[in-house]
Amino acid sequence: MPEFDLLVIGGGPGGYVAAIRAAQRGLRVCVVEKERPGGVCLNWGCIPTKAMLRSAEVFQTVTTAAEFGIHAENVRYDFAAVRARKDAIVKELTDGVASLLRANGVTVIEGHARFTGPTTVEVLEVGASPVFDGGPRYAAAPGTRVREVSARDVIVATGSVPADLPIPGADLPGVVTSDGAFGLTEVPQKLVVIGGSAVGAEWASLFAAFGSQVTVVEMRDRLVPAEDEEIGRALGRSFTERGITVLTGATVTAIADGSPLRVSVSGPQAGDLAADVVLVGVGRKPNTGQLGLDIAGIATDTRGFIEVDDRLRTGVEHVSAIGDVTGRALLAHVASHQGLTAADVIAGHDARIDYSVIPAATFTHPEMASVGLTEAAALAAGHQVTVAKFPFAALGRARTFGETEGFVKIVAGRTHGEVLGVHIIGPSASDLIAEGALAISLEATLDELADTIHAHPTLGEIGMETAMAGLGLPVHIAPRKR
């Protein structure tokens, strides 16, 4: 008889949520995790970056406090204290996850897991480096503790790691990934960020706030190219106004050693850039290299991601996969919902994952958030659309808040006014996007958004105001000329 009903490999936002849900469904559950619980999100991604971005935001607010009638002298930041606050928050939250797992009766084994069969693994104790001999077992040092674990069902939730940059000099000291950036003990004077997507843009925004001379190199024609085109171009203008150099349509071809490093860039503004630190933010790859997927017979696509169906099942019976390793959407909240779905399916419930409404947020300054179709995607899908926009500058709460940059853009169907996409750049975008996600989920229309009474004065009013603009009935901005 298997030792557990369910074995979850990886304790990130997908894995620990799946484990808790499965335990709530009455299953005997084990989680194998080689680091602190919480995965990349809690330890190296979502939470620590947002903690440091909040420090940067507070610093910026204090340095501009005179605009609010508040005068502060000798304002400075303590980067060591910024990092210490981040570490304290991370520890509190990871300890909280560990406590939740215990409270739900989940067994947690610390170590590296590797398949020895479809539903069996061996776990190498934490502290020992796993070296594999090409066969089904670890080539572990004598005395290293290896534990055999079996389960009726297995969920692979091992997440992702930063992708390698295949250029000369990418392995030089001073070249760091988004994970490695947390090891920086001081703010670099000159920083080059390779990649202008969400990860690169957040780090650029953070270090610029602390005074770094930041250059962002993005190979596409705008920043955050996955976002609506108007949002990406607005962020580029905002970065430029803040003193961040933005090079689009550009590619880093090499990094040369030296003090400072020399970064060679090709494109319209080709040349060499000087950098104390080069931060590589060009994407992530599945963290499956030493998992032994082939031993279990688990198939991957050409990029190495595990292929799953809408119930998160792989092609191997009793083996599921969730989170970044599936390559569907590398977002913590998607991993969590995949975890809930997979656990329910394994527990015998009829559940499926729906990817049609996935909100995303990027915590730059200003923030960005989106859900649903961009204008270009809606047109490409054959929709006839109405596009509505409303600026934060016309919102009373934004004026009192002192944050008037940006706008909300709603993409709706022209005939019925159904909301197809919502795109925000501006204050609290990450919180405001929830209304957009709910609108799409409930198939709401511009009429319904406009007719919903919103509290005043709030930032949330902007959804109603944008909908009224889309109906050609704006109150607080001039109507568009027909």
Side-chain angles (χ1 to χ4, degrees):
M1 178 179 177
E3 187 177 357
F4 298 98
D5 296 318
L6 174 64
L7 167 64
V8 182
I9 305 175
Y16 82 76
V17 168
I20 289 172
R21 172 57 61 88
Q24 292 170 341
R25 296 297 194 192
L27 304 185
R28 295 172 298 132
V29 184
C30 172
V31 171
V32 175
E33 172 56 57
K34 65 181 180 180
E35 297 176 346
R36 292 179 297 185
V40 169
C41 180
L42 261 65
N43 289 285
W44 305 104
C46 324
I47 298 302
T49 53
K50 280 44 172 189
M52 295 176 72
L53 281 161
R54 176 57 179 160
S55 293
E57 182 183 58
V58 170
F59 179 63
Q60 280 191 309
T61 299
V62 175
T63 55
T64 59
E67 298 175 11
F68 297 85
I70 308 297
H71 296 277
E73 309 227 356
N74 301 318
V75 177
R76 62 182 181 84
Y77 64 82
D78 180 343
F79 196 60
V82 169
R83 296 176 70 242
R85 176 178 181 271
K86 175 263 297 181
D87 291 342
I89 292 170
V90 169
K91 184 179 186 306
E92 182 178 14
L93 290 175
T94 54
D95 286 351
V97 171
S99 177
L100 287 171
L101 290 168
R102 287 194 299 271
N104 282 277
V106 176
T107 299
V108 178
I109 301 174
E110 296 183 11
H112 305 263
R114 191 193 193 202
F115 283 103
T116 56
T119 58
T120 58
V121 301
E122 45 180 32
V123 181
L124 180 66
E125 67 181 5
V126 170
S129 299
V131 179
F132 301 114
D133 59 7
R137 301 190 62 83
Y138 288 101
T144 299
R145 183 170 179 266
V146 177
R147 175 174 174 175
E148 303 282 347
V149 180
S150 63
R152 186 192 68 203
D153 286 273
V154 175
I155 295 177
V156 180
T158 50
S160 63
V161 294
D164 300 321
L165 186 64
I167 64 169
D171 57 350
L172 287 171
V175 181
V176 300
T177 64
S178 54
D179 290 0
F182 290 110
L184 298 176
T185 57
E186 58 184 30
V187 174
Q189 182 178 353
K190 294 182 179 181
L191 172 70
V192 171
V193 178
I194 304 175
S197 60
V199 172
E202 284 189 355
W203 281 108
S205 187
L206 188 155
F207 281 115
F210 285 131
S212 290
Q213 298 175 35
V214 180
T215 300
V216 181
V217 182
E218 167 57 46
M219 67 183 298
R220 299 282 292 276
D221 64 347
R222 64 186 186 274
L223 295 179
V224 288
E227 299 292 340
D228 186 89
E229 182 174 347
E230 288 190 81
I231 298 293
R233 299 205 182 282
L235 182 67
R237 291 192 297 271
S238 178
F239 270 21
T240 300
E241 290 171 5
R242 290 175 57 198
I244 299 173
T245 300
V246 178
L247 303 180
T248 54
T251 304
V252 172
T253 57
I255 304 170
D257 199 4
S259 186
L261 297 165
R262 306 299 300 181
V263 182
S264 297
V265 178
S266 65
Q269 302 179 60
D272 287 346
L273 303 172
D276 300 303
V277 172
V278 177
L279 195 156
V280 181
V282 293
R284 302 182 69 84
K285 61 183 181 180
N287 182 25
T288 57
Q290 295 181 327
L291 194 55
L293 295 181
D294 56 332
I295 297 168
I298 301 170
T300 60
D301 63 18
T302 56
R303 299 175 298 161
F305 291 103
I306 298 174
E307 299 174 317
V308 295
D309 62 15
D310 61 355
R311 298 189 183 202
L312 289 311
R313 299 172 300 194
T314 70
V316 177
E317 192 174 7
H318 296 292
V319 179
S320 302
I322 60 174
D324 287 4
V325 292
T326 67
R328 294 304 302 262
L330 277 62
L331 297 167
H333 44 284
V334 173
S336 294
H337 275 266
Q338 287 179 319
L340 295 173
T341 301
D344 282 343
V345 169
I346 290 168
H349 295 261
D350 185 16
R352 286 178 169 83
I353 185 76
D354 179 7
Y355 298 105
S356 61
V357 183
I358 300 177
T362 303
F363 296 81
T364 47
H365 186 85
E367 283 187 3
M368 297 174 294
S370 62
V371 64
L373 298 177
T374 64
E375 181 180 355
L379 292 172
H383 294 283
Q384 292 185 320
V385 302
T386 293
V387 175
K389 290 197 294 184
F390 192 90
F392 279 96
L395 204 65
R397 176 57 173 159
R399 288 284 183 182
T400 65
F401 202 62
E403 293 282 351
T404 58
E405 186 177 10
F407 57 88
V408 169
K409 176 178 179 177
I410 297 178
V411 180
R414 184 177 299 172
T415 301
H416 303 291
E418 72 278 15
V419 178
L420 301 172
V422 179
H423 310 277
I424 308 174
I425 180 167
S428 297
S430 58
D431 298 312
L432 297 175
I433 200 61
E435 182 175 55
L438 187 62
I440 297 174
S441 292
L442 298 180
E443 300 181 350
T445 64
L446 292 177
D447 285 301
E448 290 168 327
L449 282 180
D451 290 343
T452 299
I453 299 175
H454 289 61
H456 174 79
T458 63
L459 295 175
E461 287 179 276
I462 201 165
M464 174 189 70
E465 297 279 7
T466 309
M468 288 194 292
L471 295 169
L473 300 169
V475 174
H476 292 108
I477 58 173
R480 291 182 298 176
K481 294 182 179 180
R482 296 183 180 274

